[in-house]
Amino acid sequence: MTTTLETWGPVDPLEPALSVRRVLTLERVLAGEPEVVAGAAQLDRPVRWVHVAEAADVGVMLTGGEMVLTTGVLLAGDDNAQAEYIRSLHRAEAAAVVLGLGRAFPTTPDVMRRAAERCGLPMVVLHRPFPFAELTEEVQSRLVRRKFAAVSLSEAVRTALTGLITAGAPLQRLLDEIAHHTGCPVVVTNLAHRVLATAGERSAVDDVLRDWERIARQAWGHHPGRSGTGGGSEGDGWIRAELGGRGERWGQIMLCGYRGDTAGGKLLADRAAEALVLHRMLGGNTAHSWEEQSAQSLLTDLLSGVVPARQLLPRARAAGLPVNRRTFVPLVVPDGEPAQLERMLRLLGLSGLVAECTHGATAVLLSLARDQDAAALAAHFAARLRTESGERHTVVAAADPRTAWDDVPAGLREAQHVADAVADSSAALDLPAVVRLKDVHLRGLVRLLRDDPHVQSFAERELDGLLCATAADDLLAVLRTYLATGRNKSRTAQLHHVSRPALYRRLEAIEARLGVDLDDFEQAASVHIALLAHDAQQG
């Protein structure tokens, strides 16, 4: 057998599990001139222990994963015993059998070789005399050191995570720490297997999320209700642990493609799960659940435009948002409560993400089938919100529907812009339940330009006489309502609960302080624009 000698340095718990192939690279083994005569395709089987045994019925003494060393002295001359010996090792799930050639078998026994090939059991013969005790000492020492390293790593992880929890670190910081120690992507899901949070190298996480539907099916489809592995076999490193406490399960954490041995990975996953449960319990009645944080993170990234929408598509799909052949309707509800809006989506049977965004507003991204009427459903949603809130002036800011995922960020920004334009209560006096860009007119334009220094200077210059007044707030409120109602004196007096003569006196005071005639359309328009700009800057 031709192979390359490896140098065995300090144990790294993230190294792949000790395999038959790696054992055969040991210098002591190479001195015995090993030759793989059967089961060459199974050399990556993990070795749990090394066992020297000459008994013909050794299979009954094994528990699986052992590399069995023998000279076959009790098998010589009995073909049936030789074949049964191999079959018994196979039934016991031994990792491999190593036969030292010598007095009992000067050459490879063909019966054993054929039986091992049929069973898929790796069989290795040693052409030179070899002290088995040295091999067992080397491998056992290595295995014990690996177990100790795994336990040490798990304790280091426990200590690090406990320190972060004590310091009040957020969930994402804990997950980043777990990913750092495990060296693989980490995914947290709810019981519906929707992804709530991730950590790890971005490209590796994206690879996992792109294939999440298949991974979730394999991870939970074959082993419902218990910890295990997914994405393949245990050797593939897909290791999960349940999240829950006080008799209630509410999620899972998965290590995706952990490189170390399965036992060490399971230990780390359990430590991580313990920390996440503690973090959630100590969080008590936090303002945002993990589900809300997940939606908020995704919608924030979409709104910011820092991450291209195409790169966020796997996250949206893994979070449970339908994205294939869908129509997306971006909405923003000023002063909306995320929990109330989530409940409304469920009651109406709508799919979507809900998350709090800036200035107390809540963003809602609806995902509709292509044959659904987006405008009618948005109107129904807004009408239901008005009914439940009991406020007839409650509005929902909406962008035009998007059929392409790449257009969703622009739609969310449009909806947020509309919501900003109707943020103050006076703007909502005569607005429909669903407000779009075409409904905000001049107010929307001024909102866009509010940070322009020329606009700020214009607003201060036009309103200077009133802003410096002692009763500025009262007069500004009257002016705001008067202009918003189209200079309707009766309506303004009614809304401010004053008599017509009292309103006239206030309007005269405003005109005197500003040096304008509000009956003049151009002067009134100029003051109106200045007031809109002032309100936008204050907002």
Side-chain angles (χ1 to χ4, degrees), residues 49 91 112 114 142 180 198 219 232 286 332 411 518:
W49 205 245
R91 289 193 297 270
M112 294 179 69
R114 289 198 307 269
R142 183 75 181 182
H180 169 71
T198 62
T286 55
V332 173
L518 292 178

Side-chain angles (χ1 to χ4, degrees), residues 151-285:
V151 172
S152 297
L153 177 59
S154 74
E155 289 305 309
V157 170
R158 188 208 293 269
T159 300
L161 295 179
T162 302
L164 290 173
I165 293 171
T166 304
L171 171 65
Q172 188 59 52
R173 180 67 186 86
L174 267 67
L175 294 180
D176 290 341
E177 187 73 15
I178 295 167
H180 169 71
H181 284 286
T182 60
C184 68
V186 176
V187 175
V188 174
T189 75
N190 62 12
L191 291 179
H193 316 317
R194 293 185 176 181
V195 174
L196 305 180
T198 62
E201 184 182 347
R202 191 71 263 165
S203 61
V205 171
D206 288 343
D207 287 343
V208 169
L209 295 184
R210 270 191 289 270
D211 203 22
W212 183 250
E213 291 183 8
R214 180 189 66 81
I215 291 171
R217 283 197 304 271
Q218 292 190 356
W220 288 279
H222 303 313
H223 307 288
R226 68 175 180 85
S227 297
T229 61
S233 64
E234 287 192 356
D236 293 330
W238 299 86
I239 301 171
R240 67 187 178 96
E242 303 291 347
L243 300 176
R246 298 171 181 169
E248 180 185 10
R249 291 172 51 245
W250 37 262
Q252 299 96 6
I253 181 171
M254 177 180 281
L255 309 185
C256 304
Y258 178 71
R259 294 185 297 109
D261 66 275
T262 301
K266 189 63 177 72
L267 194 58
L268 288 176
D270 288 342
R271 290 289 179 268
E274 291 170 5
L276 296 187
V277 170
L278 180 61
H279 179 270
R280 180 156 173 150
M281 290 175 64
L282 291 180
N285 298 318

Side-chain angles (χ1 to χ4, degrees), residues 437-485:
L437 197 58
K438 63 182 180 60
D439 299 314
V440 295
H441 306 297
L442 179 62
R443 185 179 300 276
L445 175 63
V446 171
R447 281 275 173 171
L448 284 176
L449 301 175
R450 63 183 172 182
D451 294 325
D452 188 296
H454 298 292
V455 174
Q456 294 174 354
S457 177
F458 167 75
E460 291 177 5
R461 184 170 62 251
E462 288 290 303
L463 300 176
D464 181 62
L466 191 58
L467 295 176
C468 296
T470 304
D473 289 343
D474 180 57
L475 294 177
L476 275 174
V478 170
L479 177 61
R480 187 179 292 111
T481 304
Y482 180 62
L483 296 174
T485 58

Side-chain angles (χ1 to χ4, degrees), residues 258-326:
Y258 178 71
R259 294 185 297 109
D261 66 275
T262 301
K266 189 63 177 72
L267 194 58
L268 288 176
D270 288 342
R271 290 289 179 268
E274 291 170 5
L276 296 187
V277 170
L278 180 61
H279 179 270
R280 180 156 173 150
M281 290 175 64
L282 291 180
N285 298 318
T286 55
H288 306 287
S289 69
W290 287 3
E291 290 83 358
E292 291 170 345
Q293 290 180 44
S294 174
Q296 184 170 16
S297 173
L298 178 56
L299 289 180
T300 299
D301 285 346
L302 282 168
L303 270 166
S304 69
V306 174
V307 182
R310 181 64 53 183
Q311 294 183 20
L312 296 172
L313 189 58
R315 280 175 59 190
R317 183 182 291 111
L321 184 72
V323 295
N324 294 331
R325 298 187 58 78
R326 306 289 287 186

